[in-house]
Amino acid sequence: MPWRNKVVIAALAAAVLAGPGIAQAAPQAAPQTAPASQEQRAAAASITWTLERASNPTADQRAAYDLITAAMNAAVARYNNLSDLGKTITVRYDPGVPTADGNINGTIRFGNRSYMTQRTALHEIAHTIGVGTSSGWSSLGGSGTWRGVQATALVQRFDGSGAKLSTGGGHFWPYGLNFENEFSNTAADRHVQIVAAMVRDGL
């Protein structure tokens, strides 16, 4: 076979091997590994919640349930996307509660309509995890400043080397989302990351 024909055949073979049929084979390895890592993240991020509902709800209860559901779904999704924290939470609508509250036993109660927001849900989930409610909180945050190294390092990464996490009344700031005007997507993300760091510190 003349050498020119050999060159043409070699070039054609190279083109076939580099064509779409082969090029698509390499990326298939990524989809095979991606679901496993997604499943691992989903397994680690295990905050779940249920809403206790009246069997025959009034119009007031139905309206409250809708607001609470939207708030909790958004807050739980944010926690599960940004942390590996786990908690099973039971949520109730209790009109006798002036605002909202969360307990380390895994219960959250919403009362006032103006507190049925994602900001409040994030804040109350933190209480169910231990912010202001655990023995770790008392030992690491009882002095008025959080003393855990991981959450402190994180707030310093966010706000500079002199930043600290202040504590008091079962709450922390900055990023504690203690008031509605503190909410933004950035602040909400940082809130979750700080709570997760507090848990690593021993919350």
Side-chain angles (χ1 to χ4, degrees), residues 43-194:
S46 58
I47 293 179
T48 60
W49 75 282
T50 55
L51 175 62
E52 290 187 351
R53 296 173 179 264
S55 56
N56 187 22
T58 64
D60 171 71
Q61 288 170 324
R62 287 194 302 272
Y65 295 161
D66 288 346
L67 290 171
I68 292 167
T69 297
M72 286 296 298
N73 280 342
V76 167
R78 194 179 295 265
Y79 265 99
N80 286 344
N81 285 336
L82 295 173
S83 79
D84 60 357
L85 298 173
K87 193 77 179 183
T88 301
I89 298 170
T90 301
V91 181
R92 300 184 182 100
Y93 169 44
D94 184 345
V97 175
T99 56
D101 57 39
N103 192 296
I104 199 167
N105 69 8
T107 59
I108 294 175
R109 301 183 303 166
F110 288 90
N112 189 306
R113 284 278 202 284
S114 64
Y115 289 87
M116 296 175 185
T117 64
Q118 182 184 170
R119 192 279 308 171
T120 303
L122 289 164
H123 178 95
E124 301 306 338
I125 290 170
H127 285 314
T128 71
I129 291 168
V131 170
T133 57
S134 70
S135 58
W137 172 267
S138 300
S139 61
L140 290 165
S143 67
T145 302
W146 183 259
R147 295 194 306 275
V149 296
Q150 297 215 29
T152 299
L154 189 58
V155 77
Q156 289 174 350
R157 193 180 89 201
F158 294 151
D159 294 345
S161 60
K164 66 176 184 175
L165 286 171
S166 297
T167 60
H171 299 95
F172 70 89
W173 60 93
Y175 308 116
L177 303 181
N178 302 301
F179 301 98
E180 204 64 37
N181 63 6
E182 294 177 22
F183 183 85
S184 69
N185 281 322
T186 297
D189 287 352
R190 291 179 176 183
H191 169 85
V192 171
Q193 292 169 313
I194 286 172

